[in-house]
Amino acid sequence: MTGSSALPRTYRISPGRTRGMIGAIAFSLLLGGIPMLVQDGVPGWVRWLVLALLVAFAGWGVHAARQLSTSADLKGIRVRGFVRDRRIAWEDVQDIRAVPNPGAAMAQGQPQTISYVYGRDGSRLQLFYVDDNHVRVEHEVDALRAAWEELRGEDWTPDARAAELIDRRDGREENLQRAFGWSVGSLIALIVLFVVLLLTDNLFMDPLWILIGPVAVFLAVWLGGRYRSR
């Protein structure tokens, strides 16, 4: 099924990932909670209060993750967020894209590809769970685009200003991601070089370069990307 015939569609966190999240949180609380409970010099009520707050915060995180969702129907796309719901009608959509996740390298298990819907003013709204951790993201984005192209109306026209803003933002994020990747690569290379020189008694490199090098590479790649984009 394609176009409007493929609607409605709903995307939520999978039960397996919910269980994994609960397990990871429980393990983290266990590692952090036990040392805090046995620590001397802290009143018992303070320790138990802090532990209760941590458990409450973790419980809220799991609940919020289960409440997040993305759905599409004949009227448009609805995204249920942490605080409020947002809906964008098909005629107001300027684009729907799958893009690399800038935060994928920050934490293990993060999706490599996420997706956004873009509005008339160039703003974007992340489509929760339309990512490669939960679905075949390219297939789902194609399905949503097919529905959009059918339901946006015959008089729909692209907004040149919105398209420019969208491309400019995506270009900035791609440049930052490239610079971050190069800086991480340089950090690994400098650590390996430092260890090799240390083992061969030929250490002539100041350890400070392990910190300075990645920063210099990040700035060079980032500024070079901005120059090329102009």
Side-chain angles (χ1 to χ4, degrees), residues 30-52:
L30 186 64
L31 286 180
I34 291 179
M36 181 180 62
L37 290 176
V38 300
Q39 185 176 4
D40 296 330
V42 179
W45 69 270
V46 173
R47 288 179 287 183
W48 285 105
L49 176 61
V50 172
L51 183 61

Side-chain angles (χ1 to χ4, degrees), residues 9 11 96-100 111-116 127-145:
R9 304 177 85 84
Y11 308 91
I96 304 172
R97 296 183 183 180
V99 300
Q112 299 296 312
T113 304
I114 56 179
S115 55
Y116 290 102
L127 303 178
F128 293 123
Y129 304 128
V130 187
D131 57 54
D132 57 356
N133 274 355
H134 294 84
V135 296
R136 290 190 297 154
V137 61
E138 297 290 350
H139 175 270
E140 294 303 321
V141 167
D142 287 345
L144 292 174
R145 288 184 62 88

Side-chain angles (χ1 to χ4, degrees), residues 48-66:
W48 285 105
L49 176 61
V50 172
L51 183 61
L53 291 174
L54 288 175
V55 171
F57 180 76
W60 175 84
V62 173
H63 173 74
R66 295 182 65 183

